[in-house]
Amino acid sequence: MIHSILFVCLGNICRSPTAEAVTRTKVRSLGLDVQIDSAGTAGWHIGTPPYGPMQDAARARGYDMSDLRAREVVPTDAQRFDLILAMDEENLCDLQGLGIPARLFTDYAPHMGASFVPDPYYTRDFDGALCLIEVCADGLLADLQTQ
Ligand code: 4NP
């Protein structure tokens, strides 16, 4: 049974906090007992809130991320979380280097034809990333409900 999920990206200010906020909202609306967190493979933004344009895109779709703060992934996350989901292959490689087993979040939305969540910090497509994250979260929740 999965009772805790960690989302991981590079900076923990765009994709993974969005995945955290979206999935937490869906978990709550379904009344499931699943703890959600997010972290970055890099420590550049430790303690800072999600990136402003990402927060704006999320708020426009009803997700408030203002209370989230970035943190860096640590090896003990492997024991703390039942499921660790990476946003792209680079995150996956970095996690493997830390001895943390993980899989890709996009595995939960195979029909979308995306093998990673593009980083809006670089693409500037914040709403596109949010859309893909919502679909992946729906697939994840559907999977959790069959447990
Ligand atoms: P994220 O995006 O991994 O989705 O949080 C990034 C945010 C910041 C940086 C890189 C990626 N940065 O280089 O500061």
Side-chain angles (χ1 to χ4, degrees):
M1 289 284 279
I2 289 169
H3 289 294
S4 54
I5 301 170
L6 179 69
F7 293 102
V8 175
C9 63
L10 176 58
N12 194 211
I13 58 168
C14 289
R15 295 165 295 171
S16 62
T18 304
E20 175 184 354
V22 168
T23 306
R24 181 176 290 124
T25 298
K26 291 178 185 292
V27 158
R28 283 182 183 159
S29 74
L30 291 167
L32 299 176
D33 175 25
V34 184
Q35 301 305 307
I36 316 282
D37 195 9
S38 68
T41 56
W44 306 319
H45 301 285
I46 288 172
T48 66
Y51 190 48
M54 190 76 251
Q55 285 202 53
D56 294 343
R59 198 175 297 110
R61 285 179 181 260
Y63 305 104
D64 180 6
M65 308 203 290
S66 60
D67 61 338
L68 302 184
R69 296 294 179 268
R71 76 167 177 93
E72 192 172 3
V73 114
V74 288
T76 49
D77 283 324
Q79 287 79 53
R80 278 188 57 206
F81 294 92
D82 299 325
L83 180 63
I84 300 179
L85 295 173
M87 297 297 134
D88 62 34
E89 289 282 353
E90 187 186 327
N91 308 149
L92 208 54
C93 273
D94 289 342
L95 287 168
Q96 275 163 4
L98 292 169
I100 301 175
R103 55 183 299 191
L104 285 168
F105 191 28
T106 49
D107 286 353
Y108 290 94
H111 57 289
M112 295 297 282
S115 57
F116 63 97
V117 180
D119 193 339
Y121 192 75
Y122 301 113
T123 67
R124 312 311 289 176
D125 184 6
F126 296 95
D127 197 55
L130 190 47
C131 273
L132 179 56
I133 285 168
E134 281 188 313
V135 177
C136 293
D138 283 338
L140 170 61
L141 267 293
D143 200 72
L144 291 181
Q145 285 179 289
T146 64
Q147 290 187 125

